Amino acid sequence: MKRVVVVGAGLGGLSAACHLAGAGHQVTVVERHAHPGGRAGRLTRDGFSFDTGPTVLTMPDLVAEAFHAVGAEMDEHVRLRPLDPAYRANFADGSTIHVRHGREAMAAEIREQCGPGDEEAFHRFCAWLERLYQLEMPKFIARNYDHPWDLARPIQPAIALLKLRALGKLANAVKRYFRDERLQRLFSFQAMYAGLAPQEALAIFAVITYMDSVAGVYFPDGGIAAVPHAMAAAAEKAGVEFRYNAPVRQVLHDSDVRGVQLVDGETIEADAVVVNADLPGAYDLLPKLTLPRPLRSPEFSPSALVWHVGVRGLPPDDVAHHNIHFAAEWESSFRSLLRDGRMMPDPSVLVSVPSRTDPSLAPPGDSTLYVLEPVPNLAAGKVDWSRERDASRERLAARLETWGYPTDVVAEELVDPHDWARQGMGAGTPFSMSHRFFQSGPFRPSNLDRRVRGLVFVGTGTVPGVGVPMVLVSGKLAAERVNAL
């Protein structure tokens, strides 16, 4: 048994705490806020409740795995409902395609909207995605790397990846299956979660499409923030100690971890420290260490302008929980965002209406909206947010009205890249470093800093990467590192 301090009660830190406690360690979680959640937080205002971080939850089995680690059942702590449709995709030509829950239902939707040729292609596409996921998850995603050549050790999975044409471009891979351009967009936009355009992302990232559009999207009663609260409750019941309102000043170490010092001066001794702060900012807690090479000039993902809106009234009946409004422009918009560092001239926008699924998130007869537009990060962007902030809010409001959403605003919160930066997120993006090839797998910043024995990292900035499923896996990988000390 080791004494382990986990710094930060985000989803990665909570996953690590559950897996560490399940392995028999003495675990203390220190969190600067008054509650768990980290990036998956909650904002309550005038009777409206908003999820301030991720809004799309996939792969519930990974959530359940963290509960199982501490001998708990997920369903006893939080209820996840499958969303059907997972998305309502709206296109510039006025057409709509629903991403249905379950393969047969989605195949029927494609047959109706796109024809039998693309329906047949969907079944082949799902079979390819399934093979890709079954290969990638155990062999390349849910594993710790010590050297770059671990990618090809053992060699058989790497050969299988090549045979699946997974190192080509994602956009091209999707085009091989579907003739309808709408489906090409619908099954490749997920590359944006990895900070890349579909035209530049490798086909290996089709596993995100599998998680998102094939395995299904879920929503917890009480919103996404209910998940970290439930995980913390299960971990605490299993013996994990939680210290809230306890910001950390620094991690204490020489060649070995000694513990952490809180801002109030208290010292907590430990044999290992798992840091859930966002990389590279986590090194602010390690003033004796210089940044490792992968963190000295990282390439960050685009950021997001997020508008949390509480409005009077309900949306039309055809509005789903998640609604994607695809713009007419596609490749040129990505060039503006990713190459030129400018606002998309014709952006695609996500509008989520969580109160559609859980009416308790808004007063009776009202609605909670979450509106997201991709925008440049602060490192590569050329946007003057002192001018753009209010103008963007007005443009989003006009779009909501055009699309038929209620717009009588009662409560609101607008989050731009500077707000993300104030929360400690590098380059003002909640999506961390992009997943270009040399920032993925063994090339992504390690969850170990070998200069200090017992120092481990967890979260979006380390392996395996960005997204709720990946962060939950990162907690398990961090626990494996501690177990091996």
Side-chain angles (χ1 to χ4, degrees):
M1 183 181 72
K2 300 180 179 69
R3 299 167 301 170
V4 186
V5 171
V6 178
V7 180
L11 287 170
L14 291 168
S15 174
C18 288
H19 288 287
L20 287 164
H25 301 296
Q26 178 186 324
V27 183
T28 300
V29 179
V30 290
E31 167 57 49
R32 61 179 174 174
H33 294 118
H35 48 75
R39 205 165 303 188
R42 176 180 290 150
L43 172 67
T44 303
R45 186 169 294 172
D46 298 325
F48 297 89
S49 293
F50 305 96
D51 283 317
T52 60
T55 61
V56 177
L57 180 64
T58 62
M59 307 305 293
D61 57 310
L62 295 176
V63 183
E65 187 178 20
F67 283 96
H68 291 160
V70 289
E73 293 297 325
M74 178 180 70
D75 292 345
E76 295 176 1
H77 291 269
V78 62
R79 180 181 177 184
L80 304 185
R81 303 172 184 265
L83 296 181
D84 190 9
Y87 297 99
R88 178 184 65 132
N90 307 275
F91 298 91
D93 64 1
S95 63
T96 298
I97 297 176
H98 294 88
V99 177
R100 300 295 307 278
H101 186 79
R103 295 188 188 181
E104 292 307 317
M106 187 63 206
E109 175 76 7
I110 291 175
R111 181 176 64 250
E112 180 179 346
Q113 301 298 331
C114 310
D118 277 324
E119 176 198 10
E120 189 275 333
F122 176 70
H123 289 294
R124 291 187 290 109
F125 182 63
C126 286
W128 176 69
L129 289 177
E130 183 78 38
R131 293 196 300 272
L132 202 61
Y133 178 80
Q134 295 298 337
L135 175 64
E136 286 190 45
M137 179 55 81
K139 301 299 183 181
F140 297 99
I141 295 174
R143 64 175 292 189
N144 281 310
Y145 291 93
D146 294 312
H147 305 284
W149 51 85
D150 287 346
L151 269 177
R153 191 167 57 185
I155 192 64
Q156 289 80 10
I159 293 173
L161 206 62
L162 289 172
K163 289 182 177 179
L164 287 172
R165 302 174 71 177
L167 298 183
K169 299 300 184 184
L170 175 61
N172 293 336
V174 176
K175 284 180 181 178
R176 285 200 302 271
Y177 289 94
F178 301 106
R179 296 178 61 185
D180 194 309
E181 185 180 344
R182 296 172 300 169
L183 295 177
Q184 294 171 14
R185 294 188 183 190
L186 193 56
F187 293 128
S188 66
F189 82 87
Q190 294 85 357
M192 283 296 293
Y193 297 152
L196 303 167
Q199 298 77 23
E200 65 176 355
L202 296 180
I204 56 175
F205 293 111
V207 294
I208 309 176
T209 304
Y210 172 82
M211 297 176 186
D212 185 79
S213 298
V214 177
V217 176
Y218 293 76
F219 191 72
D221 289 351
I224 300 292
V227 172
H229 281 265
M231 291 175 66
E236 190 168 28
K237 187 175 180 180
V240 175
E241 179 187 5
F242 284 83
R243 302 278 299 276
Y244 295 110
N245 297 309
V248 171
R249 173 175 289 140
Q250 63 178 323
V251 176
L252 303 173
H253 68 89
D254 37 47
S255 59
D256 294 89
V257 157
R258 301 301 180 192
V260 299
Q261 182 186 51
L262 304 184
V263 168
D264 65 8
E266 180 185 357
T267 295
I268 304 175
E269 296 183 351
D271 304 304
V273 173
V274 178
V275 181
N276 192 198
D278 197 44
L279 289 168
Y283 277 83
D284 292 342
L285 304 177
L286 296 153
K288 296 180 182 178
L289 298 180
T290 56
L291 285 174
R293 187 176 299 276
L295 291 171
R296 292 175 192 172
S297 55
E299 181 180 301
F300 288 92
S301 296
S303 186
L305 181 71
V306 174
W307 191 24
H308 303 289
V309 200
V311 296
R312 290 189 177 91
L314 301 174
D317 291 341
D318 63 341
V319 168
H321 184 116
H322 294 301
N323 306 269
I324 305 174
H325 295 270
F326 285 104
E329 296 294 328
W330 188 241
E331 294 188 16
S332 62
S333 289
F334 285 118
R335 284 196 297 270
S336 294
L337 177 68
L338 297 169
R339 187 189 66 187
D340 302 333
R342 301 188 184 280
M343 301 287 286
M344 286 180 160
D346 188 15
S348 297
V349 177
L350 169 69
V351 182
S352 295
V353 190
S355 55
R356 173 68 89 197
T357 303
D358 186 350
S360 72
L361 300 174
D366 293 343
S367 301
T368 298
L369 309 181
Y370 171 99
V371 188
L372 183 150
E373 176 185 341
V375 298
N377 63 49
L378 297 178
K382 301 172 184 176
V383 179
D384 181 355
W385 284 103
S386 65
R387 294 184 177 183
E388 186 62 38
R389 181 181 171 91
D390 290 342
S392 293
R393 188 261 186 210
E394 295 307 311
R395 283 197 299 271
L396 289 176
R399 288 191 171 103
L400 288 182
E401 186 171 8
T402 299
W403 295 330
Y405 296 92
T407 55
D408 186 1
V409 177
V410 178
E412 62 178 305
E413 179 80 12
L414 188 67
V415 184
D416 70 29
H418 287 288
D419 297 310
W420 297 120
R422 280 188 283 272
Q423 295 179 44
M425 299 178 196
T429 173
F431 304 113
S432 191
M433 289 168 282
S434 72
H435 277 270
R436 61 185 177 88
F437 183 78
F438 287 106
Q439 289 187 162
S440 300
F443 305 107
R444 200 161 183 82
S446 175
N447 56 5
L448 283 183
D449 191 316
R450 297 187 184 278
R451 293 172 293 181
V452 180
R453 185 175 182 274
L455 175 61
V456 183
F457 297 100
V458 66
T460 59
T462 185
V463 291
V466 179
V468 173
M470 300 300 100
V471 166
L472 293 170
V473 171
S474 81
K476 184 177 181 180
L477 296 180
E480 290 177 3
R481 291 296 199 184
V482 173
N483 294 338
L485 291 175

